[in-house]
């Protein structure tokens, strides 16, 4: 059964596995002080055009979000997230476990806007309510949508006007960067965000995220924060090697482009068969709407999530392509869709 369930299904790109294997007998320093992490951090700084940031390599998205948010906020401060935000829906209360409230706002397309953020700001009274101190957004969003640079600048502005941090979760950042219509560059990110991360695990790495701290206020004692929450990886060279390889020769963007190209080919083929979509996604996740009987037939041949009910007869499913999705599987899915819809 072929899986379109997520972008974690395959191992890692062979170049990454080879680089890790080549380093089997190498002796390295530990806990992010190894030569690979130090080198990869320089590569990140060069890519984003800033030498004054701190870069930390982390083993996964949830600890990255949790630690960055917990480090930035004082005990009575809260983070604003769209209702679809990963920290709100799929992180098991990790943020709340650090003592910080998530203030959730309904978003029609997974994005936050100044108007939506203002709704949450309006709820602030005084020391009887939590202070709104951070905006969390995901680029691309969990709905597959991407922000324009102007939209991110508008969010930045409302953050500045209200003394709030902007944190960007980039679990699928590569997919946003190569998406059609994207006008945000890697060099824009440190201008827009106080902290953000560059996701590797969903884009060819085995386990690797690069967290970038831009705002000096978030930087102090960060290694203590990482260690206390169990994410200061002892054999950190394993993460450094993965990022060195991803950032060499543009592999990171090549892999993201493959994932996005496959998903967009899937989307075009599905649209050509007359189906609509829950959201306009130019990235590697798409959300087609199918009749429920067709979904039941597809489930016998493919793995995917049934994402959201649409009406009594139909629902949206999520199909995700990865750096490793073969084009042949995309073609087969489109053929099978036509066959199953006809029986
Ligand atoms: C937007 C986003 N952030 C973070 C993560 C990382 O989550 P996890 O720690 O479960 O890998 C994911 C993974 O699904 C994600 O989609």
């Amino acid at each position: 059964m072929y899986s379109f369930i997520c972008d974690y299904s395959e191992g890692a790109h062979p170049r990454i596995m080879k680089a890790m294997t080549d380093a089997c007998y190498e002796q390295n320093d530990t806990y992010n002080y190894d030569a690979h992490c130090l080198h990869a951090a320089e590569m990140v700084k060069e890519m984003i055009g800033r030498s004054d940031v701190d870069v930390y390599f982390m083993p996964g998205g949830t600890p990255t979000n949790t630690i960055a948010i917990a480090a930035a906020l004082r005990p009575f401060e809260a983070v604003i997230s769209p209702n679809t935000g990963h920290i709100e829906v799929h992180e098991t209360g990790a943020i709340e476990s650090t003592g910080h409230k998530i203030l959730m706002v309904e978003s029609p397309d997974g994005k936050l806007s100044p108007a939506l953020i203002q709704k949450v700001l309006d709820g602030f009274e005084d020391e009887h309510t939590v202070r709104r101190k951070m905006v969390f957004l995901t680029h691309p969003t969990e709905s597959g949508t991407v922000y324009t640079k102007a939209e991110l600048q508008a969010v930045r502005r409302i953050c500045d006007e209200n003394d709030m941090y902007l944190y960007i979760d980039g679990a699928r950042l590569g997919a946003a960067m190569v998406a059609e219509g994207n006008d945000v560059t890697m060099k824009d990110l440190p201008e827009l965000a106080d902290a953000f991360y560059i996701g590797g695990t969903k884009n060819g790495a085995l386990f690797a995220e690069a967290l970038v701290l831009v705002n000096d206020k978030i930087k102090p004692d960060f290694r203590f924060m990482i260690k206390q929450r169990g994410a200061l990886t002892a054999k950190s060279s394993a993460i450094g090697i993965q990022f060195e390889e991803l950032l060499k020769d543009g592999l990171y963007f090549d892999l993201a482009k493959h994932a996005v190209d496959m998903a967009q080919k899937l989307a075009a083929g599905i649209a050509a068969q007359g189906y609509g979509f829950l959201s306009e996604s130019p990235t590697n996740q798409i959300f087609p709407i199918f009749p429920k009987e067709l979904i039941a037939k597809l489930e016998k041949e493919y793995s995917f999530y049934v994402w959201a009910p649409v009406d009594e007869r139909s629902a949206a499913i999520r199909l995700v392509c990865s750096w490793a999705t073969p084009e042949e599987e995309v073609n087969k899915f489109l053929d099978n869709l036509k066959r199953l819809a006809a029986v």
Side-chain angles (χ1 to χ4, degrees), residues 8 60-63 65 86 90-91 138 140 142 169 171-172 197 202:
Y8 283 159
T62 299
N65 287 338
H86 203 260
H90 284 134
E91 295 191 3
T138 305
E142 290 77 357
D169 173 334
R172 296 189 179 87
Y197 85 87
K202 289 181 189 288

Side-chain angles (χ1 to χ4, degrees), residues 27-334:
Q27 289 191 311
N28 276 293
D29 285 336
T30 53
Y31 299 114
N32 261 302
Y33 284 142
D34 63 277
H36 294 286
C37 280
L38 297 178
H39 178 222
E42 290 309 310
M43 293 171 91
V44 168
K45 289 178 185 182
E46 196 181 327
M47 177 171 63
I48 64 172
R50 286 278 290 262
S51 56
D52 59 339
V53 298
D54 286 354
V55 181
Y56 292 97
F57 293 99
M58 310 285 275
T62 299
T64 305
N65 287 338
T66 308
I67 294 164
I69 293 169
L73 302 184
R74 296 193 67 198
F76 48 87
E77 292 177 338
V79 53
I80 300 172
S81 165
N83 59 312
T84 48
H86 203 260
I87 56 167
E88 166 67 21
V89 187
H90 284 134
E91 295 191 3
T92 328
I95 306 306
E96 293 90 334
S97 79
T98 67
H100 299 286
K101 233 179 146 97
I102 300 176
L103 298 171
M104 188 266 279
V105 57
E106 289 285 332
S107 160
D109 58 0
K111 292 188 195 176
L112 282 180
S113 62
L116 291 177
I117 293 165
Q118 189 59 50
K119 277 193 197 174
V120 184
L121 291 174
D122 289 345
F124 178 70
E125 292 168 10
D126 50 24
E127 68 276 7
H128 294 265
T129 53
V130 284
R131 181 190 282 158
R132 285 76 172 132
K133 187 63 184 179
M134 177 183 269
V135 168
F136 167 94
L137 60 82
T138 305
H139 186 55
T141 69
E142 290 77 357
S143 310
T145 49
V146 291
Y147 287 87
T148 62
K149 188 169 165 180
E151 286 171 334
L152 288 176
Q153 284 169 330
V155 171
R156 175 74 257 171
R157 258 195 309 279
I158 191 167
C159 286
D160 287 341
E161 287 159 9
N162 292 279
D163 193 22
M164 292 191 294
Y165 298 119
L166 174 57
Y167 175 75
I168 299 181
D169 173 334
R172 296 189 179 87
L173 189 61
M177 288 294 145
V178 302
E180 199 181 323
N182 169 61
D183 66 347
V184 180
T185 67
M186 293 301 289
K187 289 193 166 63
D188 291 330
L189 292 171
E191 306 303 317
L192 293 162
D194 294 287
F196 63 96
Y197 85 87
I198 304 168
T201 315
K202 289 181 189 288
N203 194 32
L206 206 51
F207 55 92
E209 325 293 336
L211 173 64
V212 180
L213 302 182
V214 183
N215 191 318
D216 289 341
K217 290 192 200 135
I218 307 175
K219 293 174 183 171
D221 301 329
F222 204 79
R223 285 178 59 84
F224 287 87
M225 292 296 298
I226 306 177
K227 178 63 182 167
Q228 192 180 51
R229 299 209 170 265
L232 196 59
T233 309
K235 296 190 182 182
S236 52
S237 59
I239 309 184
I241 289 169
Q242 295 178 68
F243 254 97
E244 281 180 312
E245 208 54 42
L246 278 178
L247 300 185
K248 207 189 284 172
D249 313 324
L251 181 66
Y252 186 73
F253 299 103
D254 291 346
L255 297 182
K257 182 159 178 359
H258 175 81
V260 169
D261 284 351
M262 291 303 101
Q264 293 307 308
K265 181 166 189 189
L266 205 50
I270 291 169
Q273 294 184 38
Y275 301 103
F277 294 83
L278 194 63
S279 63
E280 283 280 323
S281 166
T283 60
N284 68 320
Q285 311 190 79
I286 57 166
F287 301 85
I289 298 169
F290 293 137
K292 287 182 181 165
E293 317 85 75
L294 181 54
I295 293 175
K297 290 181 206 165
L298 283 167
E299 278 178 319
K300 296 203 174 98
E301 303 189 18
Y302 289 97
S303 332
F304 53 83
Y305 282 114
V306 179
W307 201 249
V310 171
D311 55 36
E312 268 183 20
R313 287 194 51 251
S314 53
I317 69 167
R318 183 182 81 158
L319 299 174
V320 186
C321 292
S322 80
W323 62 274
T325 305
E327 190 163 5
E328 191 193 345
E329 289 297 344
V330 170
N331 293 333
K332 266 202 235 165
F333 181 92
L334 295 173

